[in-house]
């Protein structure tokens, strides 16, 4: 039925970032509401950030609109314009192709939660603002490279021990 | 900037329903967050329902995914499965083409608020569950007819005085 049974939709950790970059989002847990509800045209995720957690590396999307609504707690939205406090009810939107890299950071000592929506598109390119990395997504999955398309190297993504 | 200044985005009333049917949503006020934030791929609206208010006539979409998150207050989700209480944090999703007509009704004595997301598509058809009406939307705007395509008649949409 349309009303979702939230108790049956787990919050999952994990990251698609390569190598040691995956550590960046260790404090992020995602509940995939849209997928659970059978939606295919856009994703809707509830995201919980533990203290110190990041929503992502700072990035922007070329093809996909993105929208966030703060649900609980306090986060700092960091983008090219600076830092912006986000509390319950606050909203932000990032139209596809606008090159303003952004992420949300939890600097408090309690978890914080936001809802995020992102279009599903057959292909996508996103750029990372603070490191020389981009990601392309298509039917073959994610491909992370430098912004010129060359491979990432050990100094960028070497394992946890380097 | 991506963070929205909610104080600058008004809650507006009004309805595109023809004739007297527009009265059905007299208690509904919509804040168009996605439009204000420059999003084009889907709409994101904050919707406030006053006591007695309806989100819409009960309907389902053929081409557009729809998602709702309750933000404040209590509403009743009515669909083909019956009635479901919706309180802050509760979510519902309606995949495009699933013929389960739905709407939200405020039976309490205080306003209630929910966030709703709907895909923007070049064309759309929606069917109304409780009356003989459908709507088609395209570059020419909304067109409300009976489900067989014939015009609505005065007994359906006659003005307030009939």
């Amino acid at each position: 039925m349309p009303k979702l049974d939230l108790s049956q939709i787990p919050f999952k950790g994990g990251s698609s970032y390569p190598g040691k970059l995956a550590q960046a989002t260790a404090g992020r847990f995602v509940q995939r509401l849209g997928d659970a509800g059978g939606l295919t045209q856009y994703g809707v995720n509830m995201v919980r950030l533990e203290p110190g957690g990041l929503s992502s590396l700072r990035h922007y999307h070329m093809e996909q609109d993105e929208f966030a609504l703060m649900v609980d707690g306090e986060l700092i939205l960091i983008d090219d314009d600076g830092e912006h406090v986000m509390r319950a009810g606050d909203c932000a939107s990032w139209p596809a192709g606008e090159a303003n890299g952004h992420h949300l950071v939890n600097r408090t000592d309690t978890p914080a939660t936001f809802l995020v929506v992102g279009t599903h598109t057959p292909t996508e390119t996103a750029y990372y603002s603070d490191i020389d990395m981009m990601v392309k997504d298509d039917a073959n999955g994610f491909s992370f490279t430098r912004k010129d398309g060359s491979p990432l190297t050990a100094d960028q993504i070497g394992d946890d021990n380097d």
Side-chain angles (χ1 to χ4, degrees), chain A:
Chain A
M1 81 179 189
K3 182 176 177 180
L4 301 180
D5 183 353
L6 299 178
S7 71
Q8 298 301 307
I9 310 171
F11 277 88
K12 290 186 178 175
S15 170
S16 60
Y17 290 149
K20 66 183 180 184
L21 296 178
Q23 299 168 40
T25 54
R28 181 190 67 188
F29 297 88
V30 177
Q31 188 184 36
R32 297 190 174 280
L33 301 173
D35 289 355
L39 303 187
T40 60
Q41 298 171 354
Y42 48 81
V44 183
N45 294 334
M46 191 68 74
V47 181
R48 187 182 74 236
L49 296 185
E50 298 294 329
L54 307 183
S55 62
S56 63
L57 297 171
R58 203 159 71 87
H59 72 285
Y60 55 91
H61 292 277
M62 296 306 292
E63 298 186 43
Q64 299 175 350
D65 280 354
E66 193 175 7
F67 179 89
L69 166 71
M70 280 295 296
V71 171
D72 190 51
E74 178 182 305
L75 295 170
I76 306 297
L77 165 60
I78 302 176
D79 61 24
D80 288 352
D81 304 318
E83 300 194 352
H84 318 277
V85 177
M86 301 284 288
R87 298 194 181 94
D90 286 337
C91 298
S93 70
W94 299 278
E98 288 199 5
N100 187 347
H102 56 273
H103 65 172
L104 294 156
V105 180
N106 186 352
R107 293 182 182 156
T108 76
D109 58 5
T110 55
T113 308
F114 64 98
L115 188 85
V116 63
V117 182
T119 317
H120 284 158
T121 52
T123 60
E124 173 60 320
T125 300
Y127 294 99
Y128 294 87
S129 303
D130 301 320
I131 57 176
D132 182 11
M133 187 167 82
M134 68 176 181
V135 60
K136 287 184 177 287
D137 185 21
D138 59 23
N140 297 316
F142 293 114
S143 172
F144 290 89
T145 64
R146 293 183 189 242
K147 288 170 183 169
D148 66 3
S150 66
L152 298 170
T153 51
D155 64 303
Q156 294 180 285
I157 61 168
D159 69 25
D160 297 355
N161 302 314
D162 71 353

